Amino acid sequence: MARRRTAAVSAVLALAAGLPALAQMRQDRQHPVWTNSLGMPFVQVPAGSFVMGGTEAADVLAQAYPQLEPKRFAELTDEGPAHRVVIGKAFYLGQHEVTVGQFRRFLAASGYQPESEVDGTGGYGYNALYDPATTRRGDAFEGRDPRYSWRNPGFAQGDEHPVVNVTWNDAQALAQWLSRTEGHRYRLPTEAEWEYACRAGTRTRYPHGDDPEGLLKNANTFDQDAAPYWLRWQQHALRGSDGHAFTAPVGSYAPNAWGLQDMLGNAWEWVADWHGDSYYAESPAVDPGGPAEGSVRVRRGGSWHTWSFYARCGYRNWNSPQTRYTLVGMRLLREIAPSAAARPGPRPAATRRLSSPVAR
C-alpha cells in the first residue's frame, strides 16, 4: 500500500564553488556550461522539487493519441502515482547525449572494450532488406549481429551524433573512468534527477507543452522523415518533418528552460535505477534512487524512432544491463561535490514490455 507522503523539504543545498583544472567554464546564454576533458559539455541543474510521474486519464490520452489502441494506455500503471520529489543537491548534467566522437575518445584513452565487441555478439542495426514481419518478435531492427555495434548502427553517423548500441555496463565504465581520471564523481542520473531535468519546471507531457506535433521543433522522434523506412508503423509518425530520418547531431533542437538539449528523442538514455512497477508508491520523498535490486535498468526519453506517445517526459521503459540496441545511448551526470561513495555493481538479467524492451 502506498504510504502517505510528507511535505517536500523546503531548503536545498547551495552550489559548491571551485572548478577542476581539467574543465573549462563558459556561458551559454544564461546557463553556465562546464566542459570536461573529453569535450562533454555539462549544464548546471539547480536543486529543487517537482511532481514526478502521474498518468493522465485514459480518455484524455485516447483523444490526444487516437492512433493507439486502448491497451497501450492500460500499460502505464508504473507511471503513477504522481508524487512530489525533492532533488536535494544541484548537479551538472550532460547538455546532450554522449556522442560517437566522445565515446571513441574514451575508448582510445582507457583501452576499454564495449560489451558488444567483448562477447562477440554485436548489437542491432538498420538493414533495408530486413523485414520485421519475418521474425518471431517483430523487432524493428536486425540483430544481434557482430556487424552492428556503436561503430555501426546500420546508418551513417558523424562524431556529433549520439552514440548508440551501448549497454548500461558500458555507461558505467565510462562514468567510472572519468571519475578516476578527473577526480570528480560521474555517474548516470537517477530516474528522478533525469525527469526533473527533463521537465525543467514544467508539468506538461513534453517540456514545450502537451501537443505531440510540437516535438517537430524540439526533438528528433518518429516523423515523416523516418516513416518511409517503416511503412507498417507510418500511422504513428508525426505529420511533419523534424529534418532527420535517423539520429541527428546532438544539440540540433531547441534547449529546454534549463539549457538541456535532446532530453526527448534522438537516443534513449540509460539511467541508474533498477525498474520497479510499484516503486513510485513507496519511494523516498528526497533524492529517490530506485529499488535496491531488480533485473532491468530504466531508460528514458525516447529516440529518433520513438512514437510521440512514448516520448513523454514521464514515460518509463527498461532493458537488461547487457542490452545494446540501435536506439539506446546515454547521458552522464557529474556531481558538484565529489563523493567517494561507490554505487552497487551491475547485476545480470533481462525481461521486457509491449513497446519493446527485451534483452537485446
Side-chain angles (χ1 to χ4, degrees):
M1 179 179 292
R3 69 165 187 261
R4 189 177 302 276
R5 295 179 176 275
T6 59
V9 174
S10 58
V12 293
L13 301 179
L15 174 64
L19 292 171
L22 288 171
Q24 295 178 345
M25 194 73 168
R26 63 182 172 85
Q27 291 293 321
D28 181 7
R29 300 177 183 173
Q30 67 270 50
H31 306 289
V33 176
W34 180 92
T35 303
N36 75 359
S37 60
L38 288 179
M40 298 177 180
F42 287 77
V43 174
Q44 179 184 312
V45 176
S49 68
F50 76 115
V51 176
M52 184 174 185
T55 307
E56 296 176 80
D59 59 335
V60 175
L61 291 172
Q63 185 174 1
Y65 306 95
Q67 70 278 22
L68 293 176
E69 58 270 42
K71 66 180 180 180
R72 299 275 179 175
F73 310 130
E75 293 181 322
L76 305 178
T77 55
D78 67 336
E79 289 186 25
H83 55 290
R84 182 160 291 278
V85 169
V86 172
I87 303 298
K89 297 180 180 180
F91 55 87
Y92 280 112
L93 188 64
Q95 189 171 33
H96 46 65
E97 299 107 338
V98 174
T99 68
V100 171
Q102 292 159 358
F103 193 69
R104 179 182 290 110
R105 290 193 286 275
F106 155 61
L107 298 183
S110 67
Y112 177 78
Q113 286 187 288
E115 282 195 281
S116 61
E117 297 177 0
V118 170
D119 63 24
T121 64
Y124 278 71
Y126 171 72
N127 181 349
L129 301 179
Y130 163 77
D131 182 3
T134 63
T135 63
R136 177 179 58 83
R137 201 167 60 200
D139 201 293
F141 299 93
E142 183 180 42
R144 291 185 189 179
D145 191 298
R147 290 180 297 164
Y148 303 121
S149 70
W150 72 273
R151 302 176 192 273
N152 175 29
F155 52 86
Q157 284 192 305
D159 275 3
E160 296 307 310
H161 286 241
V163 67
V164 294
N165 262 328
V166 287
T167 69
W168 188 90
N169 297 319
D170 291 337
Q172 292 293 98
L174 172 57
Q176 290 165 8
W177 180 83
L178 279 168
S179 298
R180 292 192 304 269
T181 301
E182 296 189 0
H184 295 277
R185 190 184 181 207
Y186 287 84
R187 57 179 173 83
L188 289 171
T190 65
E191 194 172 7
E193 288 166 337
W194 187 94
E195 186 171 329
Y196 173 68
C198 179
R199 292 188 178 280
T202 67
R203 184 66 189 132
T204 46
R205 292 174 192 144
Y206 315 102
H208 67 264
D210 287 334
D211 183 10
E213 296 294 327
L215 287 168
L216 293 168
K217 295 181 179 179
N218 294 278
N220 179 18
T221 56
F222 195 59
D223 67 340
Q224 295 303 313
D225 292 308
Y229 295 91
W230 287 275
L231 295 177
R232 64 183 299 193
W233 293 307
Q234 61 184 328
Q235 73 273 22
H236 298 291
L238 294 171
R239 292 190 293 271
S241 168
D242 60 31
H244 296 276
F246 297 94
T247 55
V250 297
S252 293
Y253 301 89
N256 70 11
W258 288 346
L260 297 162
Q261 295 174 283
D262 304 315
M263 292 297 295
L264 301 180
N266 225 12
W268 286 97
E269 299 172 13
W270 289 114
V271 296
D273 306 32
W274 293 111
H275 178 267
D277 277 331
S278 60
Y279 181 70
Y280 281 9
E282 57 195 30
S283 66
V286 180
D287 294 327
E293 58 184 14
S295 62
V296 287
R297 296 286 185 176
V298 179
R299 55 178 167 92
R300 287 295 209 110
S303 74
W304 58 271
H305 194 263
T306 299
W307 308 343
S308 59
F309 178 66
Y310 296 112
R312 293 174 295 109
C313 295
Y315 180 69
R316 311 172 71 201
N317 217 327
W318 59 84
N319 282 105
S320 72
Q322 300 83 13
T323 291
R324 68 298 303 262
Y325 199 53
T326 193
L327 304 180
V328 183
M330 58 176 140
R331 181 189 305 254
L332 295 185
L333 178 150
R334 203 221 85 182
E335 294 183 353
I336 299 290
S339 170
R343 297 184 73 81
R347 297 167 181 261
T351 64
R352 226 321 20 195
R353 94 155 63 171
L354 179 64
S355 61
S356 69
V358 283
R360 293 189 168 95

